Amino acid sequence: MGERETRRFWPDIHEVASPVYSDAENRTWATLLSSQRSLLPGRACREFLAGIERLDFPDDEIPRLADISDRIEACTGWRLRRVDGVVPDGEFFEMLAQRLFPSTDYIRRQEDIGYTPAPDIFHELLGHAPLLTDARFAAFFQRMGEAAVEAAARGHPARDLLPHLYWYSVEFGLIRTRDGLRIYGSGILSSPDEVLYCLSGQPTVLPFDMAAVAATPYDIWHMQETLFAIDSFAWLEEAFAEWCRAVGLE
Ligand SMILES: [Fe+2]
């Protein structure tokens, strides 16, 4: 699927009307944002915290996807596309390969404030958007999309493994830093419950061995019992490229 076809299914974010959010929905955003702002320093990695600064989210109202998309684009060329919900893997990776990130625009219900398995706008913007402004992560993420597109086109078995690598890095990744273990996975960072749980010592944290992670299935409905830590984003980019070569994807 090329850029023209992608546009047909997911128009430019500036061509999509932004929802009018209720006061209760804006309050959910405000509550989540202030809770994560106090939790994340010292727990999220510095690249992520720098991304939050760059995006400058409004405190008490849900931002327009178009505005955040413009700020991301100015940093790395990545843009947001508005989607209804979870995008099937094939289309999802097609978008990544084109530096497009699909985002929903609804917000979780108040009772799901701790963790929502369905990706809402808070998950997309607070969880994913900050690292889309980081050049190194942005390059890795596009490469992952390209590898998946190639695997799908060739019927390569890596097609079924890439979602595992995606899950344990982009969604639930940890990173070892000089100051200790930090979080970069968006599934953790957009969830107050997950942030505390992941650094609590309860989950087992293993080194991010590409082949082992690729073979590890995941469960979206429960807290992750095993997590994988990378050493740096430069390492992630290089190790992923090496894994692609090893399994026969260029
Ligand atoms: Fe996500």
Side-chain angles (χ1 to χ4, degrees), residues 74-91:
C75 298
T76 58
W78 276 75
R79 288 168 291 159
L80 301 178
R81 288 287 190 264
R82 189 253 172 220
V83 295
D84 288 328
V86 175
V87 176
D89 281 351
E91 293 170 39

Side-chain angles (χ1 to χ4, degrees), residues 92 101 119 123-124 127-128 166-167 170-171 186-187 190:
F92 179 72
F101 189 78
H123 169 75
E124 316 287 22
H128 286 283
Y166 168 82
W167 182 262
V170 177
E171 294 288 350
S186 44
S190 59

Side-chain angles (χ1 to χ4, degrees), residues 21-22 24-29 31-33 35-36 62 104-127 186-194:
Y21 297 104
S22 69
E25 287 171 324
N26 282 319
R27 269 199 305 278
T28 298
W29 168 271
T31 305
L32 281 165
L33 188 61
S35 135
Q36 295 309 78
I62 302 171
T104 52
D105 60 7
Y106 62 86
I107 195 150
R108 69 193 69 181
R109 295 174 308 169
Q110 194 72 35
E111 53 269 39
D112 294 331
I113 209 147
Y115 176 70
T116 167
D120 69 341
I121 190 168
F122 188 77
H123 169 75
E124 316 287 22
L125 294 190
L126 197 286
S186 44
I188 307 174
L189 292 167
S190 59
S191 157
D193 294 354
E194 292 276 355

